Amino acid sequence: MNRPTTGPDPWRVPVMVAHIPDTGLHRELDASAAERQAMADLAGVREVLSAHADLEIVPKSGGRIQVTGHVRARVGQTCVVTLDPIESEIDEDIDLTFAPEAEARRLADLIEEGGDEKEPPEVADPPEAIVNGIIDLGRIATDALFLAIDPYPRKPGVVFEAEVTALDPEDHPFAALKALQDNKQGKKKGK
């Protein structure tokens, strides 16, 4: 998953892959007030009122790790039509596979080249790389939250309608030329 924005990670919850038991881990995360403020600043929204992630981390074959679950958040934004403050609810599913860096690069190359008959057909996207033996659950939740934020939020029932005004037939780009022509013809008739 590519970061939609750049900058420091505002919500960090690192998990050492070596410490994940064969049975997996379940983690419930709640962002602190400082983390939510940092997320709001980075996402360019008025505020993040709450952010909660519920995640399952399960080891798979070949050193891969699957992270599934969802992130829920309440985001304070500004209506693009009325400029009134509004709140948006986010409930986004997460389903990512991680692999050791070398394996992630190899699979990304295979997918880019058109696939490999030995790989299972369900691998549509390359796995994310496990960097330095760590998977950051906070970053996963933040990425999912950022991708789910509506960039053009509107209050319920509000529709943008452009103001339409009737044009005066004499108010067009060639009106000045027509006036000059009429004036010139008027002078000819006046002779």
Side-chain angles (χ1 to χ4, degrees):
M1 175 186 305
N2 294 328
R3 297 257 332 160
T5 55
T6 58
D9 291 322
W11 190 12
R12 293 192 42 89
V13 184
V15 171
M16 295 289 298
V17 172
H19 296 158
I20 299 172
D22 292 342
T23 56
L25 292 173
H26 176 87
R27 291 288 183 258
E28 288 196 34
L29 316 172
D30 284 301
S32 69
E35 290 164 333
R36 292 192 317 269
Q37 182 59 53
M39 283 189 271
D41 293 345
L42 193 57
V45 296
R46 200 177 69 247
E47 60 188 327
V48 175
L49 299 153
S50 65
H52 176 83
D54 190 4
L55 303 171
E56 296 291 332
I57 305 98
V58 180
K60 299 290 183 181
S61 64
R64 296 179 191 178
I65 305 291
Q66 184 171 18
V67 179
T68 58
H70 59 270
V71 62
R72 289 190 179 111
R74 188 169 195 74
V75 179
Q77 296 180 271
T78 302
C79 175
V80 295
V81 178
T82 65
L83 301 181
D84 291 335
I86 59 173
E87 291 181 8
S88 305
E89 292 287 335
I90 293 175
D91 189 349
E92 193 70 16
D93 289 334
I94 294 171
D95 188 353
L96 294 172
T97 300
F98 289 80
E101 285 184 88
E103 177 76 0
R105 276 194 303 275
R106 185 184 72 78
L107 290 173
D109 290 345
L110 285 175
I111 290 169
E112 193 172 296
E113 292 170 6
D116 180 358
E117 302 305 319
K118 297 175 189 172
E119 287 301 315
E122 71 269 4
V123 177
D125 292 325
E128 299 292 317
I130 298 170
V131 180
N132 298 324
I134 295 173
I135 295 175
D136 191 341
L137 302 179
R139 180 174 181 166
I140 294 168
T142 303
D143 285 348
L145 186 152
F146 283 4
L147 290 170
I149 292 174
D150 183 352
Y152 304 105
R154 293 184 185 166
K155 285 176 74 170
V158 172
V159 179
F160 177 76
E161 293 181 24
E163 186 176 321
V164 178
T165 56
L167 296 176
D168 181 352
E170 295 300 318
D171 187 23
H172 56 80
F174 299 107
L177 291 175
K178 185 176 183 311
L180 287 173
Q181 185 178 15
D182 290 347
N183 190 16
K184 186 177 178 182
Q185 286 177 356
K187 287 182 181 179
K188 285 183 183 178
K189 289 181 184 178
K191 285 188 174 176

